[in-house]
Amino acid sequence: MNIVIFGPPGAGKGTQSNLIVKKYKLYQLSTGELLRKEIQNNTELGKKISSIINLGNLVSDEIVRNLIENYISKNIYKNKLIFDGYPRNLTQAKNLDVILKKNNQKIDIALKLSVGLKTIKKRILERKNLEKRADDNEQIAIKRYETYEKNIKPVIDFYKDSNLLTVINGEKPINEINDEISGLIKGIKGWL
Ligand code: AMP
């Protein structure tokens, strides 16, 4: 069971991934969180990417590919990953497929959380008070939303064509979304 979950900033990817990993003993792989950790730890990579992230742009496909490959290749994560915030574009979706194949794995479910810009702005401003993320201000949130919209269409088509895509209304209450995702997971043959 490997899942990808994508959606605009503030769609609830992190919240839902968190709930699912606890319920089904999976592991959350948030590329955004891994990148923020690099910045916090002031690593060479962190120094290189902080301005890119703080401007709401995407870091290079190569950097995130290396991050996810580290996880996918480890046995404890085998068939137990939720990719939160990856892939963000078609190249990343294809890279993910190649790496998974190399490790005898695949994606079982692709979830798209749909949320309108008005809700996103509201959620991001609320989150700013809780998490203190440098990229959670209105201007950068809009930029991140635009970056998402600009790149995601071919990713949606990619998973639609593979019959893996489920679109979820991300404006619904957290528990309803969670029930919907749980239903999908339970429907996967050979799982549970
Ligand atoms: P997130 O926590 O998913 O909202 O990601 C925060 C920021 O990290 C994004 O705005 C990007 O700058 C960067 N980032 C996260 N995931 C990716 C990815 N898959 N590809 C490129 N950049 C990413």
Side-chain angles (χ1 to χ4, degrees):
M1 167 70 59
N2 290 307
I3 300 172
V4 299
I5 180 160
F6 57 93
K13 305 184 290 285
T15 304
Q16 291 300 333
S17 302
N18 244 312
L19 292 170
I20 295 298
V21 295
K22 284 189 193 128
K23 203 161 164 181
Y24 296 104
K25 299 198 167 52
L26 302 173
Y27 296 93
Q28 176 182 10
L29 200 174
S30 159
T31 42
E33 246 164 54
L34 292 177
L35 295 167
R36 279 190 290 282
K37 244 177 231 156
E38 296 286 334
I39 296 174
Q40 273 158 20
N41 295 339
N42 211 18
T43 63
E44 279 312 305
L45 176 59
K47 284 179 206 158
K48 207 164 117 185
I49 61 178
S50 70
S51 59
I52 301 173
I53 291 187
N54 292 341
L55 286 172
N57 293 317
L58 295 182
V59 307
S60 77
D61 295 333
E62 188 59 25
I63 288 173
V64 279
R65 192 176 67 95
N66 289 336
L67 289 177
I68 62 155
E69 190 153 25
N70 268 337
Y71 276 76
I72 293 171
S73 58
K74 291 201 175 95
N75 223 15
I76 55 159
Y77 301 125
K78 191 163 186 176
N79 284 318
K80 287 189 179 148
L81 284 171
I82 299 196
F83 297 91
D84 159 7
Y86 188 101
R88 295 282 235 267
N89 60 32
L90 185 59
T91 304
Q92 293 184 9
K94 288 183 175 168
N95 285 346
L96 177 59
D97 255 22
V98 171
I99 300 168
L100 284 171
K101 237 175 233 148
K102 215 161 74 182
N103 289 274
N104 296 316
Q105 296 177 62
K106 62 180 172 53
I107 292 297
D108 297 286
I109 301 174
L111 301 170
K112 174 182 182 278
L113 284 177
S114 295
V115 181
L117 186 55
K118 201 171 146 208
T119 307
I120 288 169
K121 281 188 196 167
K122 189 171 150 267
R123 287 186 185 170
I124 284 186
L125 293 181
E126 283 165 5
R127 184 167 75 183
K128 181 160 183 66
N129 299 323
L130 296 171
E131 293 184 19
K132 310 235 177 308
R133 273 177 56 168
D135 60 350
D136 272 351
N137 65 60
E138 183 163 344
Q139 196 193 350
I140 300 300
I142 293 170
K143 180 67 207 285
R144 283 159 59 211
Y145 180 76
E146 287 168 356
T147 303
Y148 168 81
E149 286 289 320
K150 199 172 91 191
N151 293 295
I152 209 67
K153 176 83 175 55
V155 177
I156 297 168
D157 291 341
F158 181 82
Y159 288 115
K160 211 190 268 171
D161 292 345
S162 328
N163 283 326
L164 294 174
L165 183 74
T166 299
V167 180
I168 293 181
N169 176 1
E171 310 248 358
K172 288 198 304 190
I174 291 173
N175 62 324
E176 279 183 36
I177 297 176
N178 185 243
D179 287 347
E180 202 174 332
I181 299 176
S182 298
L184 287 167
I185 292 176
K186 287 177 194 149
I188 295 288
K189 234 176 144 187
W191 172 253
L192 299 177

